[in-house]
């Protein structure tokens, strides 16, 4: 859990936009472009007018509010972007009688809504006004299909082989009601109201075609809360993401995305998302001495450096021994077991959210990690690593897998196209 999660990456600087002219001041969209030296030029034409018309001289949005991800592209948004401060995961099941036609109409509605909200515009129907005054705030909305979707829509022949159900693991304590689903939506943003606004719009768009199966809420550190960009910490206090694959890696696309010539054709440039709700047994974890916690993980808690020495990015010396002849990094340390070179090169792009859903009746916190990992094939990414962890990870005594899902996430929609169109109309 601690060694393969994405590090924070933020939008680069861009020049400011010139305000739109007009007797009544500038539009909200033009205002978004005046975010200052750290802001973004939105530059998108067309669409609805924004929530408000700001008077000339209004205070521009901050860099957090002005960040914008693009809906159209080679890949769907929400995969390679940096960790967002707030997230919602929601699964839907098609209602009885709804099939391919209704699913296509739903994905068309969802795509229109996602494109507009990610641009900082109002929802196309009955906008609630929840995100009024805010910018796009790096909102991303990502859509995927579960194993059951293909039977409900008569598309069994198009179901990818990689979407076969995950095997059972001994650490699983899965709640079936909070697992799987026909359709999956991932929402992330750097503002909680922007994220909730998107969740509400997506739920309303489902209409009579689909009903919510389960929904989970998560969070990460807010951008700018640290003096410098750094690897995120999880609720155990560990730096979580030191060895995550990076887009600059030569084999990144090969590991994370289905190739353009891959099978099935509609999954070209897509990816597979494994979603796990992993509860952290924090009361037990926090009773451990610092040194014991570090032995479980294999890294120092303060800075993420391997116990074999160096700093966070120093390669781990798995053969280094202590004065008594034992391994400095224990054989069952989480960071040792999850290494790709110990799992046949298996790697996945982890992009999680933490969660806290209150206190149980016995006083224990219901808190942990909404684990989301991306890979070109889960049978070569998640599954071999989880099997290895299942056989002797020291961290297993302090976590519990309570929900699970696997979803096929098609490539990005081209201009004028909706997500999943190549599957549903191919």
């Amino acid at each position: 859990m601690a060694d393969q999660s994405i590090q924070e990456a933020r939008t680069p600087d861009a020049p400011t936009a010139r305000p739109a002219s007009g007797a009544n001041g500038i539009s909200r969209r033009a205002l978004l472009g005046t975010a200052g030296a750290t802001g973004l030029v939105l530059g998108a034409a067309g669409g609805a007018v924004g929530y408000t018309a700001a008077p000339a001289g209004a205070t521009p949005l901050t860099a957090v509010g002005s960040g914008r991800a693009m809906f159209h592209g080679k890949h769907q948004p929400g995969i390679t972007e940096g960790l967002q401060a707030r997230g919602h995961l929601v699964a839907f099941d098609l209602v009885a009688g709804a099939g391919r036609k209704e699913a296509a109409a739903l994905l068309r509605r969802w795509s229109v809504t996602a494109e507009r909200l990610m641009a900082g515009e109002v929802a196309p129907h009955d906008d609630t006004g929840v995100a009024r005054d805010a910018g796009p705030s790096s909102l991303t909305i990502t859509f995927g299909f579960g194993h059951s979707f293909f039977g409900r829509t008569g598309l069994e022949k198009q179901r990818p082989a990689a979407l076969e159900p995950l095997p059972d693991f001994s650490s699983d304590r899965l709640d079936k009601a909070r697992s799987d689903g026909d359709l999956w939506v991932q929402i992330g943003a750097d503002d909680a109201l922007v994220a909730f606004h998107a969740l509400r719009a997506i739920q309303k768009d489902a209409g009579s075609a689909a009903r919510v199966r389960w929904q989970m809420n998560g969070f990460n550190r807010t951008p700018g809360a640290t003096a410098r960009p750094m690897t995120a910490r999880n609720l155990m206090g560990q730096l979580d993401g030191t060895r995550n694959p990076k887009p600059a890696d030569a084999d990144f696309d090969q590991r994370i995305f289905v190739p353009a010539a891959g099978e099935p054709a509609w999954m070209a440039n897509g990816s597979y998302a494994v979603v796990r709700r992993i509860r952290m047994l924090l009361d037990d974890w926090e009773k451990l001495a610092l040194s014991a916690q570090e032995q479980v993980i294999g890294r120092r808690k303060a800075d993420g450096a391997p116990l074999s020495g160096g700093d966070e990015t120093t390669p781990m010396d798995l053969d280094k021994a202590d004065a008594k002849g034992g391994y400095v990094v224990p054989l069952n340390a989480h960071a040792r077991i999850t290494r790709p070179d110990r799992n046949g090169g298996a790697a996945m792009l982890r992009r999680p959210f933490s969660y806290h859903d209150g206190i149980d009746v016995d006083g224990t916190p219901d808190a942990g990690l909404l684990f989301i990992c991306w890979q070109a094939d889960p049978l070569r990414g998640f599954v071999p690593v989880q099997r290895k962890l299942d056989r002797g990870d020291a961290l297993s005594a302090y976590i519990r897998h309570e929900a699970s899902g696997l979803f096929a996430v098609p490539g990005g929609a081209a201009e004028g196209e909706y997500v999943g169109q190549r599957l549903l109309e191919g």
Side-chain angles (χ1 to χ4, degrees), residues 74-327:
K74 183 178 180 180
H75 311 296
Q76 284 198 59
I79 301 176
T80 59
E81 286 83 2
L83 293 179
Q84 293 144 306
R86 188 65 176 172
H88 300 292
L89 310 180
V90 55
F92 294 82
D93 285 335
L94 294 172
V95 301
R100 182 173 176 177
K101 178 181 177 182
E102 289 76 15
L106 174 57
L107 266 297
R108 191 179 294 110
R109 289 196 300 274
W110 275 351
S111 295
V112 170
T113 294
E115 181 178 8
R116 290 176 61 148
L117 295 187
M118 286 175 56
E121 298 173 356
V122 296
H125 307 290
D126 302 321
D127 190 89
T128 61
V130 171
R132 191 183 303 273
D133 310 317
S137 299
S138 300
L139 173 68
T140 61
I141 305 177
T142 318
F143 304 100
F145 304 110
H147 185 275
S148 57
F149 176 83
F150 298 85
R152 292 180 180 270
T153 55
L155 291 165
E156 292 95 335
K157 292 183 179 179
Q158 292 297 320
R159 182 190 289 133
L163 202 57
E164 285 303 303
L166 297 172
D168 295 330
F169 301 104
S170 64
S171 59
D172 286 353
R173 301 292 184 271
L174 303 183
D175 178 356
K176 298 299 184 183
R178 291 194 295 183
S179 299
D180 303 317
D182 294 344
L183 293 155
W184 175 68
V185 184
Q186 174 193 252
I187 296 167
D190 284 336
D191 179 80
L193 286 179
V194 168
F196 176 82
H197 179 243
L199 173 66
R200 189 76 181 105
I202 291 296
Q203 179 193 356
K204 289 168 67 178
D205 275 350
S208 60
R211 60 177 178 80
V212 173
R213 178 181 177 88
W214 54 259
Q215 190 235 317
M216 302 175 189
N217 309 312
F219 58 90
N220 285 303
R221 177 172 279 158
T222 301
T226 58
R228 58 178 176 81
M230 61 179 293
T231 308
R233 290 189 186 272
N234 60 34
L235 298 189
M236 288 178 162
Q238 301 291 150
L239 289 182
D240 192 343
T242 300
R243 291 181 55 85
N244 217 29
K246 298 174 177 60
D249 296 343
D251 59 353
F252 181 84
D253 281 3
Q254 176 185 341
R255 291 183 172 193
I256 307 306
F257 294 110
V258 176
E263 292 291 337
W266 65 267
M267 272 296 289
N269 302 312
S271 189
Y272 292 91
V274 173
V275 181
R276 310 276 281 185
R277 185 182 192 270
I278 303 176
R279 183 164 179 166
M280 295 177 173
L281 308 181
L282 293 178
D283 285 347
D284 294 336
W285 174 256
E286 290 163 3
K287 290 175 184 175
L288 295 178
L290 173 62
S291 60
Q293 292 180 351
E294 292 179 336
Q295 290 283 305
V296 167
I297 301 299
R299 290 183 175 274
R300 292 201 301 258
K301 192 171 186 177
D303 59 6
L307 296 184
S308 54
D311 58 26
E312 184 185 357
T313 61
T314 301
M316 185 174 289
D317 184 352
L318 299 180
D319 297 322
K320 186 174 182 178
D322 58 23
K324 297 181 179 179
Y327 287 112

Side-chain angles (χ1 to χ4, degrees), residues 332-362:
N332 63 349
H334 183 77
R336 175 190 282 266
I337 293 174
T338 57
R339 288 172 56 94
D341 57 6
R342 295 281 161 146
N343 294 280
M348 48 196 161
L349 178 67
R350 293 185 48 211
R351 196 173 181 277
F353 293 95
S354 294
Y355 78 86
H356 179 222
D357 289 340
I359 308 297
D360 284 351
V361 292
D362 63 357

